[in-house]
């Protein structure tokens, strides 16, 4: 990652004709290929800006409020229903899920509290953490991960074998 020089700030987003995800499911900003793919004028190295400006967790951080009032097409949640049902008594999740999802859920809930949409400062009373699932994975010298079944003797031997969290996060990288 290379920071922008100060004279290139502020970095403004490009104008887009369409603000829907692309046909391949990428965020709208991925449509602006000249803006996403750039070349460093000093080094001539190519860089790729991340078109996903908000992680997928942010879109699911308030789902517990919609469960309270799923058919409301006027407001996020009816205030009376929110006061009755909130906060959630118990949240059950794994370590990675708890760190990422709950971090964003608490952040957005605090924003909604500050603007008066919800009546509680915290969305969840208690967290039960289920732990972390671990599995074998191979990684080659370039850092690419391989599932154990994909590694064959004819391949260059992996530089090392590591335990890794069995999660989607290592696969969800920008594909520029």
């Amino acid at each position: 990652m290379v920071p922008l020089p100060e004279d290139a700030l502020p970095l403004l987003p490009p104008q887009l004709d369409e603000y829907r995800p692309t046909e391949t499911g990428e965020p709208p900003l991925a449509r602006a290929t000249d803006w996403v793919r750039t070349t460093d004028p000093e080094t001539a190295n190519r860089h790729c800006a991340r078109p996903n400006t908000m992680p997928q967790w942010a879109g699911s951080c308030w789902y517990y409020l919609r469960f309270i009032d799923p058919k409301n097409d006027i407001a996020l949640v009816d205030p009376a229903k929110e006061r009755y049902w909130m906060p959630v008594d118990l949240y059950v999740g794994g370590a990675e899920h708890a760190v990422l999802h709950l971090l964003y859920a608490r952040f957005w809930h605090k924003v909604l509290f500050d603007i008066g949409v919800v009546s509680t400062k915290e969305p969840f009373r208690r967290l039960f953490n289920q732990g972390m699932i671990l599995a074998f994975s191979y990684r080659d010298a370039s850092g690419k991960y391989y599932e154990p079944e994909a590694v064959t003797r004819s391949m260059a031997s992996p530089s090392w074998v590591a335990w890794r969290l069995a999660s989607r996060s290592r696969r969800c990288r920008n594909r520029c």
Side-chain angles (χ1 to χ4, degrees):
M1 186 180 317
V2 178
L4 288 174
E6 203 164 316
D7 63 351
L9 299 175
L11 178 63
L12 300 174
Q15 290 293 320
L16 297 174
D17 294 331
E18 199 170 349
Y19 287 92
R20 294 185 319 176
T22 67
E23 294 75 25
T24 59
E26 292 180 283
L29 200 50
R31 295 178 186 283
T33 54
D34 291 341
W35 190 84
V36 171
R37 295 184 182 117
T38 61
T39 303
D40 184 332
E42 291 183 24
T43 65
N45 291 334
R46 297 207 32 95
H47 296 282
C48 186
R50 294 189 68 172
N52 190 0
T53 59
M54 187 171 290
Q56 71 273 19
W57 299 101
S60 67
C61 288
W62 45 270
Y63 71 88
Y64 54 91
L65 294 170
R66 292 304 289 169
F67 280 144
I68 294 170
D69 195 11
K71 297 189 189 291
N72 190 334
D73 59 357
I74 298 169
L76 179 62
V77 63
D78 178 89
K81 291 178 180 179
E82 186 275 333
R83 281 191 303 278
Y84 178 80
W85 287 105
M86 290 302 295
V88 174
D89 292 327
L90 176 64
Y91 189 96
V92 179
E96 183 181 67
H97 186 81
V99 169
L100 296 174
H101 183 268
L102 291 180
L103 176 73
Y104 287 115
R106 290 184 69 218
F107 170 80
W108 285 112
H109 194 87
K110 287 177 182 291
V111 169
L112 294 172
F113 178 78
D114 288 349
I115 64 172
V117 174
V118 296
S119 63
T120 60
K121 286 186 179 183
E122 291 287 342
F124 313 109
R125 289 183 202 259
R126 187 167 164 247
L127 164 67
F128 178 80
N129 194 309
Q130 294 175 307
M132 192 181 301
I133 300 169
L134 299 174
F136 273 113
S137 179
Y138 293 86
R139 191 165 91 166
D140 66 17
S142 70
K144 182 178 177 186
Y145 283 95
Y146 297 89
E147 299 297 334
E149 354 13 285
V151 177
T152 64
R153 291 192 184 275
S154 64
M155 296 173 71
S157 70
S159 59
W160 51 277
V161 178
W163 282 97
R164 66 148 171 93
L165 175 63
S167 74
R168 294 176 297 149
S169 61
R170 72 173 176 80
R171 293 189 196 105
C172 297
R173 296 217 171 102
N174 186 21
R175 291 172 177 80
C176 186

